[in-house]
Amino acid sequence: MNRNKSSRIAWGVALAVSAAVVATPVLAADFGPVEPMKINAEKAALGKRLFFDPRLSGDAAISCSTCHIPQKGFSDGLALAKAYPGSDGFRNTPTLINTARKAAWFHDGRIGTNLNDVTRESITETYSMNMDMRLMQERVKQDPIYVKMFKDAGYGEPSNGSIRKAIPEYLKTLTSRGAPFDTGKMSAAAQRGFDLFKGKAGCAQCHSGPRFTDDMPHNIGVPENPEIWSNPMRHITFVTFANFMGIENYMNIRRDVGAHIRTHKVDGSDMGKFMTPTLRELRQTAPYMHNGTSKTLADVVAFYNRGGGNDANKDPRIKPLDLSKAERANLVAFLEALSGDPLTGPEHVWKDKINVNYAVIEDWLKKTN
Ligand code: HEC
Ligand code: HEC
């Protein structure tokens, strides 16, 4: 069956048919490479500059690239992300490579529409960039380079609507390339790992398709990261988020509820489910899991070999694997072979300095342009 299509099914339906989806034998043809997307060059160039511009945050201190760092596979190397000054993050920063292909975004999958909405949330939430869209629009309008770039991109005057379109156009340029898995240069160990992945280790039941994900939430029993509950800055950020998302008992819970944020099941069976992440570019994106509790790929494989973590909602497919030391090493070699060339050249990174030291406008109230 066509997994790309199946992953686009609305969640309610997808959850109902998920058992059928995973029962389908996984064919080698289901995997990679990730094909490049059609791009509008002017819009993507504008989106690139916006992505690296700290003026898109409330106090002009952080940009998207503060957390999504090209040299780290557009993640940040931290277990838990930073956040807007005065708060601190409670989730691991995911890679943005191939993100334009996803069916639902954020670790809990709470946005299932499009990257325009993800960009809006990233810019405006108090715990990410804490920006007022109207202020952002005015700031961008004051920069003559932007005025020209918006015009060249066919957007007319800079507006918050077109900012939310241009950034996703840039994100579409972030496509994996050059992984040994795609170029046919996998080592023999990695090849044996791939066989385990599809067979005995059962990984492909959830990690399938060119990005190695079914774009669905599952509970694999990842333990809580105690740092979220012991560090007041992180805890208050979580409480704010949970309150805003309508989570019951948000002052007292001491767990990240995951996909429950979106599906709010009364029986709580969606608690602790997180979106299956892509397995591409893992060499650049440690540490792993929604809360950064696995430091290395060997740790992740050891976790699965033990049968995952302890959780009442744990997926029954996560059980002890009884893999030998050599088999575990092969699996790690395979996971490493899914990482390709870093996207750190000028094609993906805005290299020019962004000048934010403007001369004061004299008599600005009387200015007409
Ligand atoms: C302060 C750090 C930070 C900043 C700044 C930031 N992000 Fe993120 N980003 C994160 C974290 C952490 C997550 C995961 C959040 C979650 O799961 O709740 C995330 C998730 C995402 C995702 C979803 C990825 C996925 O796999 O589901 C996209 C897309 C994204 N960010 C784009 C952006 C864009 C565009 C900007 C700038 C407008 C931005 N981010 C700014 C930390 C940051
Ligand atoms: C039942 C579905 C399922 C199966 C089977 C499964 N995974 Fe996962 N995998 C997930 C989910 C869901 C997560 C994210 C959990 C979280 O963030 O808390 C994950 C996370 C990961 C990560 C971390 C990626 C990152 O960027 O943080 C790796 C690596 C991984 N799995 C590899 C494997 C391997 C190897 C196997 C086989 C031994 C496997 N998975 C089997 C669902 C599954």
Side-chain angles (χ1 to χ4, degrees):
M1 88 184 282
N2 183 328
R3 274 160 202 283
N4 276 338
K5 270 213 184 101
S6 71
S7 66
R8 298 269 154 200
I9 300 172
W11 251 27
V13 187
L15 287 171
V17 299
S18 66
V21 171
V22 297
T24 312
V26 179
L27 307 170
D30 270 344
F31 298 100
V34 187
E35 299 296 341
M37 299 178 90
K38 262 185 123 169
I39 313 282
N40 175 308
E42 286 79 22
K43 291 184 164 75
L46 169 60
K48 177 164 57 176
R49 191 169 193 253
L50 291 163
F51 188 89
F52 290 90
D53 192 337
R55 288 171 295 178
L56 261 58
S57 66
D59 66 353
I62 55 174
S63 70
C64 309
S65 68
T66 302
C67 303
H68 299 288
I69 305 168
Q71 290 75 14
K72 294 187 190 296
F74 290 81
S75 64
D76 57 13
L78 303 169
L80 299 169
K82 294 180 187 160
Y84 188 76
S87 52
D88 222 342
F90 57 90
R91 294 244 169 102
N92 180 261
T93 303
T95 179
L96 298 187
I97 300 178
N98 311 317
T99 199
R101 308 272 177 172
K102 294 190 75 164
W105 289 269
F106 297 121
H107 290 290
D108 43 27
R110 66 184 180 273
I111 291 191
T113 48
N114 52 48
L115 279 174
N116 186 316
D117 287 339
V118 177
T119 301
R120 177 191 37 76
E121 168 140 345
S122 302
I123 294 172
T124 56
E125 285 308 331
T126 45
Y127 41 78
S128 60
M129 289 166 74
N130 194 22
M131 182 49 144
D132 182 300
M133 287 279 183
R134 291 157 300 185
L135 178 58
M136 174 177 72
Q137 178 172 311
E138 293 312 314
R139 273 192 198 159
V140 168
K141 273 189 196 168
Q142 288 176 23
D143 180 339
I145 296 178
Y146 274 133
V147 173
K148 180 169 183 331
M149 289 183 91
F150 275 79
K151 203 155 169 258
D152 292 349
Y155 287 133
E157 228 186 39
S159 69
N160 79 55
S162 38
I163 290 171
R164 278 156 41 205
K165 285 186 192 141
I167 291 178
E169 193 66 20
Y170 161 68
L171 294 177
K172 278 159 63 181
T173 68
L174 305 178
T175 300
S176 287
R177 60 186 184 202
F181 178 77
D182 302 319
T183 57
K185 292 191 183 130
M186 276 211 293
S187 66
Q191 187 58 54
R192 286 195 292 276
F194 187 31
D195 293 338
L196 288 164
F197 186 88
K198 290 180 292 181
K200 183 176 167 188
C203 316
Q205 296 175 97
C206 303
H207 296 282
S208 57
R211 290 175 292 115
F212 294 85
T213 166
D214 56 2
D215 279 326
M216 299 276 288
H218 305 283
N219 184 321
I220 63 169
V222 170
E224 292 303 326
N225 185 335
E227 163 80 10
I228 300 170
W229 321 112
S230 64
N231 176 331
M233 293 278 278
R234 295 197 195 279
H235 190 196
I236 196 68
T237 311
F238 176 82
V239 169
T240 305
F241 168 81
N243 176 17
F244 182 63
M245 292 290 161
I247 293 305
E248 313 78 8
N249 203 18
Y250 63 89
M251 286 301 285
N252 299 318
I253 45 170
R254 293 290 182 273
R255 74 176 299 190
D256 187 333
V257 299
H260 181 72
I261 290 252
R262 184 169 182 195
T263 39
H264 286 283
K265 286 204 178 167
V266 186
D267 66 1
S269 57
D270 49 4
M271 289 271 187
K273 282 189 178 183
F274 293 90
M275 296 296 288
T276 307
T278 180
L279 299 183
R280 288 195 174 264
E281 313 311 331
L282 291 169
R283 289 181 67 142
Q284 306 180 53
T285 61
Y288 307 103
M289 304 301 181
H290 71 276
N291 55 10
T293 45
S294 287
K295 285 201 176 65
T296 65
L297 291 175
D299 290 349
V300 173
V301 169
F303 170 81
Y304 281 112
N305 200 38
R306 285 195 300 274
N310 299 317
D311 197 291
N313 294 334
K314 191 168 76 176
D315 191 296
R317 290 166 295 180
I318 302 294
K319 42 183 192 270
L321 297 173
D322 202 19
L323 300 175
S324 69
K325 202 173 162 197
E327 286 175 321
R328 296 200 299 273
N330 291 340
L331 213 39
V332 170
F334 167 66
L335 294 173
E336 287 179 343
L338 299 177
S339 294
D341 308 331
L343 306 183
T344 49
E347 187 187 345
H348 300 104
V349 179
W350 186 265
K351 297 282 188 190
D352 294 343
K353 196 172 168 347
I354 296 177
N355 181 17
V356 294
N357 297 318
Y358 310 107
V360 176
I361 306 171
E362 302 278 350
D363 257 351
W364 66 275
L365 276 178
K366 294 196 185 119
K367 292 262 172 193
T368 51
N369 60 16

